Every structure is written in C-alpha cells, then in structure tokens.
Amino acid sequence: MDSKMDNKSKKTYWPHMILGFLAIGITLGYWTVKHAVQMPVQEVNEYMMKYQQADLGINDILEKKKAFDNVYTIKLNNVEMMVMTDNVNSKIPQPNAVKLSKGENSFSYTVTKKDGTVVSDANVSFLLTRPHTVKDDVMIENVPFKNGMYVTPKLDIQKPGRYTLQFRAKIDDNTVGYAQERAYLKP
C-alpha cells in the first residue's frame, strides 16, 4: 500500500512543460508580429507612385510612356555629372550621376517635340528621393515653366549620399513621359 502512495505522491512535470513551451511560442509569435507591424515598409517610387498602383496599371503606364517617347523628349539641363568608375567585381556598368552640392539645388528640364519645338503647357511633376526610403522625399506637383524650361524651386539638400531625380511630364491623359537620373552628394 505504501508503494501505491509513493506513486501517487510522485508528480510528473511533462504537462507543465508542454504548457510552458506553448506559452513561450505564443509570446514569441506575438512579439514577432508586433515588431513586424512597427517596421516601416520601404516603397519604390517607380513612375512617381506607390508600387502597388504601378503594378496594377503597368500596361497603361507603359502605353502612355511609349506614346510620349514617340513624339517628345525630356532633357535635364545645366547639371554637372560625376564620372562613375565601374566596379571591378561587377559586370554591371555604373551610369554617371548628377553631382549635387550641399545646400540649395535647383533642376531645370526641357520637354521638346522630336522636331525641336519646346512644350510649354505640360503638367510637370518632380520628385527628389533617396533609394530605399521615403522619409526625405520632396515632391513638387506643379513645376513652373520659365525661360523655355521647367525649373524646380530651390531644394535644400544636406544629407550626403545617393539620390534619385524623377521627372514626370503629362501632355494629356494618354501621353505621359518619365525621366529618372541618379544623383550623389559627397560627404
């Protein structure tokens, strides 16, 4: 009889371990979801819109761009270019980048027809952005036309690093052109 009492008084801990592991799993799952939601999702500014919008309407965007490219050209004016050296470990050539200066910068673009006629009535937007972040984006919805060019207001650029200059010219609802240039501000 005493041996039966000893077996009953002995405790097994495996149910407690299972509950403990389950509690740890639920806690870690909650922590993962909480931190994943708090992390910002970096968006791509392709075509000066969120990537979801660009993805849904890419065929329409490409048709409008093709219609624009058949008749018009966009040119960035009065900028100094940095000659980029190719990376010896990569076969991808490095395109030259626009050299930015610390402080105020302004950019001017011309939109012309293929025959050289300057277009003065386009609806023009400009976006200064940094790769992989939207925190420092500067969007100018309506770039004014002055002296035959679309000239952005002066932009104060202080942080060194890579930038992207994006330009959109909308002639009508079926003709929209895009230009994108890499830019760099040395530290």
Side-chain angles (χ1 to χ4, degrees), residues 35-50:
H35 284 283
V37 168
Q38 290 176 349
M39 296 298 283
V41 174
Q42 303 303 332
E43 296 180 359
V44 176
N45 286 325
E46 274 307 303
Y47 304 109
M48 297 174 76
M49 60 181 67
K50 292 184 177 185

Side-chain angles (χ1 to χ4, degrees), residues 18-115:
I18 291 174
L19 289 175
F21 286 135
L22 187 61
I24 289 171
I26 291 172
T27 303
L28 288 175
Y30 171 78
W31 179 83
T32 301
V33 170
K34 181 181 175 207
H35 284 283
V37 168
Q38 290 176 349
M39 296 298 283
V41 174
Q42 303 303 332
E43 296 180 359
V44 176
N45 286 325
E46 274 307 303
Y47 304 109
M48 297 174 76
M49 60 181 67
K50 292 184 177 185
Y51 75 92
Q52 294 97 334
Q53 293 170 325
D55 194 37
L56 289 174
I58 191 65
N59 292 332
D60 191 38
I61 291 168
L62 293 176
E63 284 178 23
K64 291 177 182 180
K65 184 177 180 336
K66 184 178 179 183
F68 183 93
D69 291 342
N70 287 336
V71 180
Y72 304 96
T73 58
I74 299 171
K75 182 181 175 206
L76 177 60
N77 303 310
N78 305 325
V79 292
E80 186 180 346
M81 300 298 282
M82 296 176 62
V83 178
M84 304 300 284
T85 56
D86 290 340
N87 184 343
V88 295
N89 298 318
S90 175
K91 294 181 181 177
I92 301 172
Q94 295 294 317
N96 294 338
V98 174
K99 184 177 182 181
L100 300 175
S101 58
K102 191 167 190 161
E104 292 185 343
N105 291 268
S106 183
F107 306 99
S108 61
Y109 289 85
T110 53
V111 178
T112 57
K113 289 186 176 182
K114 296 283 184 180
D115 65 6

